[in-house]
Amino acid sequence: MKKLILLAVALMLSTSVMADPVKGQKYYLKYLRPYFVYNGQVFASQHIQTEWESYFKNGAEQFISEFSAKHPESADFLASEKFQKMAPHIGDFAIKYAADSGELPNCN
């Protein structure tokens, strides 16, 4: 039982540690841009870093809720297991290039 708990904690930590904004940018451009229409810079600059952090907490629950309402055609994809796997990366991308980050992504 102790080993199982340690394994679960290790997996949770490794997922957040291994999140990559470069992958997040690629995922955004490939999977979310067709639904949201705007480029990655416009997407990331919609919120400041602390807002993005809260959007992507708890399995990106707030992000899914808000963006499913904003872009109903994306709701099925945002609710999918595939999105759950890429959400930490997309979250890191959004946080890195947030409105208050001072950085601009190179994506159109």
Side-chain angles (χ1 to χ4, degrees), residues 6-54:
L6 287 174
L7 179 62
V9 170
L11 285 174
M12 288 173 40
L13 291 175
S14 69
T15 301
S16 62
V17 170
M18 295 174 59
D20 180 358
V22 174
K23 279 186 181 177
Q25 182 176 0
K26 289 178 183 175
Y27 290 146
Y28 175 79
L29 292 173
K30 184 171 182 176
Y31 296 103
L32 296 182
R33 185 177 177 182
Y35 293 117
F36 299 170
V37 183
Y38 33 81
N39 68 29
Q41 181 179 352
V42 172
F43 167 72
S45 66
Q46 290 181 25
H47 296 282
I48 62 174
Q49 290 175 322
T50 54
E51 291 171 338
W52 281 125
E53 287 169 4
S54 67

